[in-house]
Amino acid sequence: MGTTTPELTPALPLKPAHEKTETAVIRQLSPEKIVIFVGNTYLDVRDTPGNYKFLVVQDINAAQASISEVLNVYRKIPAVIIYRFNSKYEQECEQWEQYFNDNQVLRSIPFFMYSEQVSEQLKSFARKYRFIDEVITRDCLMHTLEKKITFVSKFKYLSVITRQENTEPNKKLTKSKRTPGAVIKRLTDILLASMALVLASPLLLIIAVAIRMESKGPIFYAAKRAGKNYRIFKFYKFRTMVPDADKKLKQLSHLNQYSNEQGGTVFYKVTNDPRITKLGAFLRNTSLDEIPQLLNVIKGDMSLVGNRPLPLYEAAALTTDEWSQRFNAPAGITGLWQISKRGNKDMSTEERIGLDISYANKHTFGYDMWIMMNTPFALVQKENV
């Protein structure tokens, strides 16, 4: 290939043209924690969180040679591949696509594209390639990299397992095992969600106009959420907060009702959240903000009844064998938590997860119908959360 795979033990001196010489330190750690960084880096990676050993290579050919060395010598798969955005990104992403097509087992490796600045154009380009999991910046690399790797590894592994099961010779047999209850549940979801959207269309229009009149910003709130088997999808709600509300999370962390001294914060919920608009408070207290989720139900991302899909930063904290059980159930608009203790500010993280796991372990079509019949009694919350 015309390149030499760097050794995994010494630090790698980098001398980018017209730039100050930097040293990327490769930690003396276990080989299963190797990070393949493709391209010049001007960061001191010694402070990167997690027990990772950074292997910095100059181009895609050297990266692929390094991956082969890690596989053949250490019998391990790299923890993540981080590809630095450069002028050849279009051509090289095509090369990466072909590489992963030829080496299907490596598709389980998290793949991040690194850029100093992230534009909508770059995000749009990255979405064209299924192997690119996210576009990250310096801030992510130095502060949240470990959480992202943990989460992406989990759901990519599950995706690979599912894909392998569906390509087995007994694929038809596997599909035939789908229970009658599951089929009825899906048909019921489509029928009821479609009818509800049609009947609610005048109300949807009124709410949309009211949101636009109250404050500037989008009418709908769309964010990535993790559902069944950590599957990520775009989750829709009416916007109930001021624009850029997500950027103010850190400022309000001390008000989080799920904060605890022992295990840290998993869920995030603030009583009387100051980011919520007046109309937004009404929409939340009446659950009208959740009507757009009927689109997610029709698409198959969610069910009418299930465990709430979680923001990625929350799902990333629930990857242990015990807590991940809550992801065995479908994502839903309403569920056991909503009818049990919705709005209860004294509910702990463990209690919330316990309700999710309880539903995941015993959900049936009849149980779902019972939850749906009890949902109207829980629509008006006791607390403004």
Side-chain angles (χ1 to χ4, degrees):
M1 295 183 183
T3 59
T4 302
T5 304
E7 297 293 332
L8 295 179
T9 48
L12 295 177
L14 299 178
K15 297 182 180 180
H18 309 298
E19 294 287 345
K20 180 180 177 180
T21 299
E22 298 284 350
T23 300
V25 177
I26 297 183
R27 299 181 182 183
Q28 308 301 311
L29 299 171
S30 57
E32 66 269 18
K33 295 292 185 179
I34 292 174
V35 175
I36 306 290
F37 190 102
V38 188
N40 295 330
T41 178
Y42 311 116
L43 300 176
D44 187 346
V45 296
R46 286 173 295 184
D47 296 326
T48 303
N51 296 325
Y52 295 110
K53 177 188 293 184
F54 276 74
L55 175 59
V56 182
V57 296
Q58 294 297 312
D59 55 39
I60 183 174
N61 292 327
Q64 294 174 5
S66 298
I67 294 171
S68 296
E69 181 176 337
V70 172
L71 290 171
N72 296 325
V73 176
Y74 294 99
R75 305 296 180 184
K76 299 291 183 180
I77 294 179
V80 64
I81 300 171
I82 302 177
Y83 169 74
R84 185 185 178 106
F85 175 79
N86 62 68
S87 59
K88 300 179 181 178
Y89 70 98
E90 293 184 341
Q91 175 186 348
E92 293 188 347
C93 281
E94 290 289 342
Q95 289 181 256
W96 279 116
E97 178 74 15
Q98 185 60 48
Y99 177 74
F100 288 119
N101 286 338
D102 295 338
N103 301 274
Q104 290 288 329
V105 69
L106 300 181
R107 281 189 171 272
S108 62
I109 303 176
F111 190 103
F112 301 145
M113 178 178 282
Y114 174 85
S115 178
E116 293 295 333
Q117 295 183 340
V118 181
S119 64
E120 287 301 321
Q121 182 178 3
L122 182 56
K123 288 182 179 180
S124 177
F125 171 80
R127 284 193 290 267
K128 292 168 52 180
Y129 294 93
R130 294 182 61 185
F131 67 86
I132 300 178
D133 298 299
E134 193 169 343
V135 181
I136 64 172
T137 61
R138 179 189 299 256
D139 182 67
C140 169
L141 189 64
M142 303 307 294
H143 297 101
T144 61
L145 180 63
E146 184 171 28
K147 285 186 176 181
K148 286 188 179 294
I149 291 175
T150 299
F151 176 67
V152 172
S153 297
K154 186 81 174 182
F155 83 77
K156 289 192 80 167
Y157 171 77
L158 291 172
S159 298
V160 170
I161 293 299
T162 301
R163 187 163 55 247
Q164 288 176 344
E165 289 178 348
N166 289 337
T167 56
E168 292 294 329
N170 62 345
K171 178 179 178 181
K172 293 184 179 179
L173 179 61
T174 302
K175 283 193 171 184
S176 66
K177 291 182 180 180
R178 190 174 184 182
T179 64
V183 175
I184 296 174
K185 177 181 174 71
R186 178 59 185 149
L187 293 176
T188 302
D189 283 342
I190 295 174
L191 178 62
L192 294 182
S194 300
M195 291 175 59
L197 272 178
V198 173
L199 294 175
S201 55
L203 179 60
L204 292 174
L205 180 59
I206 294 173
I207 294 174
V209 172
I211 292 174
R212 181 54 60 85
M213 290 179 64
E214 183 185 39
S215 63
K216 294 182 178 179
I219 293 173
F220 297 101
Y221 171 77
K224 289 183 178 180
R225 296 290 175 96
K228 185 176 181 179
N229 291 336
Y230 292 89
R231 179 175 174 271
I232 294 178
F233 63 92
K234 190 168 287 187
F235 172 86
Y236 300 105
K237 295 179 70 173
F238 278 121
R239 180 173 61 85
T240 58
M241 291 186 174
V242 296
D244 299 325
D246 289 342
K247 297 180 181 179
K248 301 178 181 180
L249 279 175
K250 291 184 180 180
Q251 302 172 15
L252 303 174
S253 59
H254 63 288
L255 300 176
N256 187 7
Q257 72 178 49
Y258 288 114
S259 294
N260 61 82
E261 296 178 358
Q262 290 78 23
T265 299
V266 176
F267 298 116
Y268 187 91
K269 191 76 72 174
V270 172
T271 301
N272 297 317
D273 194 327
R275 301 172 300 162
I276 299 176
T277 63
K278 291 182 179 180
L279 175 61
F282 170 76
L283 294 176
R284 285 182 170 218
N285 289 339
T286 56
S287 296
L288 292 175
D289 63 316
E290 299 187 1
I291 296 178
Q293 291 166 41
L294 293 170
L295 291 172
N296 290 116
V297 174
I298 294 173
K299 290 171 60 180
D301 299 326
M302 297 172 60
S303 174
L304 291 173
V305 181
N307 288 333
R308 292 299 288 169
L310 298 183
L312 303 192
Y313 66 87
E314 289 183 358
L318 301 178
T319 54
T320 63
D321 290 340
E322 180 183 3
W323 284 7
S324 64
Q325 293 179 57
R326 58 105 46 214
F327 291 99
N328 291 335
I333 295 180
T334 187
L336 186 58
W337 167 67
Q338 282 85 346
I339 68 169
S340 299
K341 293 198 174 184
R342 182 174 182 175
N344 187 344
K345 66 179 180 180
D346 297 322
M347 181 165 46
S348 67
T349 296
E350 290 75 16
E351 199 171 5
R352 167 85 179 270
I353 299 173
L355 288 172
D356 289 345
I357 293 175
S358 176
Y359 173 79
N361 289 335
K362 64 180 182 182
H363 71 90
T364 62
F365 180 73
Y367 192 40
D368 286 353
M369 293 300 100
W370 177 80
I371 291 176
M372 288 184 66
M373 287 188 293
N374 283 274
T375 295
F377 301 103
L379 288 179
V380 180
Q381 301 178 7
K382 296 178 181 179
E383 296 285 343
N384 183 18
V385 295

